[in-house]
Amino acid sequence: MVARHETHSESSAGPADFRAAVASMRAAALRPEVFCEEMPAPQRIAPYSSALSADVTVDDVDLGTGRIILLHDPAGNEAWNGTFRCVVYARADIDPDLISDPMLAAVGWSWLSEALDAHGAAYAEMSGTVTSVATESFGGMADEEGTAQIEVRASWTPVLTDEDQPLDLGPHVEAWAELLCTSAGLPPVPEGVTSIPSRRGQRGS
């Protein structure tokens, strides 16, 4: 039997450490191709939650989409081995020829773990799945080209790097955004070039 929590999805509600974590999510520096905004958080999973959604857009073409959800249970959660949990989803179109690559799933998973490490996001208890799907058209739609997508679903427990400071979710959000961009085939940002905060609430060019 699953216990029902009293949930609070408003980011302005909750304990101080939750509010600070949400503020750090909003302050993450993202690439300009990533259009990010707040979205309703899921209910009944944890007492407190907050969520962001994002689309990767280049020349007005959407190449990928995803979301990141922050869950918080002040009493702790045995499955998380902590009081916070990040849950992410990323989906992007890929070259259909890649579907047959037996290493695709492992490579997709490495995009996430390498992004977390590159951004200095401390984490534990990570788990998830990588799914690739190919679509072919037949009959009256036979002239349409085949498509393929990769989906990464994962969750992990963010870890404090400084016991005297609140939990900083910025590196975790930035790693998730990098996963979106890598999945969509965008090249890495050149070394020495700093990403700027994504504009939330307007797409812009």
Side-chain angles (χ1 to χ4, degrees):
M1 181 177 180
V2 178
R4 181 173 178 176
H5 293 286
E6 180 183 359
T7 57
H8 307 266
S9 59
E10 292 294 331
S11 57
S12 59
D17 53 351
F18 172 73
R19 298 197 305 272
V22 171
S24 69
M25 291 178 67
R26 294 172 173 170
L30 310 180
R31 293 175 57 158
E33 300 93 340
V34 180
F35 170 75
C36 185
E37 59 186 347
E38 291 186 61
M39 64 173 285
Q43 303 293 306
R44 300 185 178 90
I45 299 178
Y48 301 94
S49 60
S50 185
L52 299 173
S53 66
D55 294 317
V56 178
T57 306
V58 176
D59 295 331
D60 294 326
V61 176
D62 288 337
L63 303 179
T65 187
R67 58 183 176 267
I68 182 169
I69 302 166
L70 175 65
L71 305 175
H72 177 51
D73 187 342
N77 186 302
E78 186 175 344
W80 306 347
N81 192 26
T83 59
F84 285 92
R85 188 74 172 174
C86 291
V87 181
V88 301
Y89 167 75
R91 186 187 75 231
D93 292 329
I94 59 173
D95 186 331
D97 292 339
L98 294 176
I99 286 291
S100 59
D101 187 341
M103 294 299 295
L104 178 59
V107 170
W109 187 252
S110 72
W111 291 338
L112 173 58
S113 59
E114 290 174 3
L116 287 166
D117 293 341
H119 287 273
Y123 62 94
E125 310 294 337
M126 186 164 72
S127 62
T129 62
V130 178
T131 305
S132 55
V133 180
T135 302
E136 294 187 43
S137 302
F138 299 91
M141 301 173 63
D143 292 338
E144 296 187 10
E145 293 185 3
T147 62
Q149 294 181 327
I150 187 170
E151 294 184 352
V152 180
R153 298 175 184 268
S155 65
W156 63 85
T157 299
V159 177
L160 277 173
T161 55
D162 186 341
E163 295 293 338
D164 296 326
Q165 298 294 327
L167 182 64
D168 183 4
L169 266 293
H172 299 263
V173 174
E174 291 163 9
W176 160 70
E178 183 174 326
L179 167 65
L180 286 173
C181 292
T182 303
S183 301
L186 269 62
V189 174
E191 187 174 354
V193 176
T194 302
S195 299
I196 63 175
S198 170
R199 287 171 290 185
R200 294 176 170 83
Q202 63 180 46
R203 191 170 293 275
S205 59

